[in-house]
Amino acid sequence: MGRASRADAAKHREHVVAAAARLLRERGSAETSVQDVMSAAGLTHGGFYKQFASKQELTGIAVTEAFEGISGLLARIGEESADRTQARTRYLDAYLTPEHRDSLGTGCANTALAADAARASADSPLRQSYTAGVKQTLDGLARIEPAADQDDGEARRQAIVDLATMVGALTLARGIAGDPLSDEILAAVRAALDTRR
């Protein structure tokens, strides 16, 4: 295989993984077929098995990809903010919004993939990638927790509370999107987390 062919294959693989990450967050694993993913990537179904051994393998890789956006956002906010309090505020402001609620395909993997991970076997690529992604998110949140200045253990506990609260709020808000209560949930949780600093 020539250099151009390898480069094309690598580019196609990236497109397939990105398409799978988006579709998994939008539809869930059971409603996302290999054909759907390949079509969304602009490729034919036949090329799938040249890149991946199975849908399960692709799912694990795509879940990891879906979490990369969260990690990148947390790192960027941490670097751009004057202090941890400001970083945490910026993250909450980005997370608990109607725009994030309505962005299923690009939104939080913690929220979008939790039900799929809960249904998957403990040794599945989906569950393993999801578990690693949650841990990665918690590490990123702990780094921007104001409590990290004094106590790493307390920062981790607060990161767990923040993540569980935000994921719960976003899940409920998505479940009733279109009803005024959806926006009310986002606003109430945002205000409650702000007072908890």
Side-chain angles (χ1 to χ4, degrees), residues 113-122 124 126-127 130-131:
L113 301 171
D116 281 334
R119 290 185 197 96
S121 65
S124 72
L126 190 160
R127 174 76 73 87
Y130 184 83
T131 300

Side-chain angles (χ1 to χ4, degrees), residues 57 59-65 67 124-136:
E57 178 191 16
T59 299
I61 294 167
V63 169
T64 298
E65 171 78 13
F67 275 98
S124 72
L126 190 160
R127 174 76 73 87
Q128 291 176 355
S129 294
Y130 184 83
T131 300
V134 170
K135 290 176 180 178
Q136 186 178 359

Side-chain angles (χ1 to χ4, degrees), residues 58-158:
L58 171 60
T59 299
I61 294 167
V63 169
T64 298
E65 171 78 13
F67 275 98
E68 290 302 317
I70 300 163
S71 298
L73 176 63
L74 283 165
R76 202 167 41 256
I77 286 174
E79 291 167 6
E80 295 170 357
S81 301
D83 59 30
R84 287 185 175 96
T85 299
Q86 182 188 51
R88 181 176 177 274
T89 297
R90 287 183 61 201
Y91 189 70
L92 293 173
D93 287 345
Y95 195 99
L96 294 166
T97 63
E99 294 78 22
H100 185 207
R101 175 198 59 210
D102 299 340
S103 300
L104 298 177
T106 57
C108 178
N110 291 286
T111 299
L113 301 171
D116 281 334
R119 290 185 197 96
S121 65
D123 63 344
S124 72
L126 190 160
R127 174 76 73 87
Q128 291 176 355
S129 294
Y130 184 83
T131 300
V134 170
K135 290 176 180 178
Q136 186 178 359
T137 304
L138 287 171
D139 290 345
L141 283 171
R143 282 192 293 277
I144 64 169
E145 280 291 339
D149 289 330
Q150 288 87 29
D151 181 349
D152 288 341
E154 181 58 23
R156 181 163 177 82
R157 282 187 291 281
Q158 291 303 324

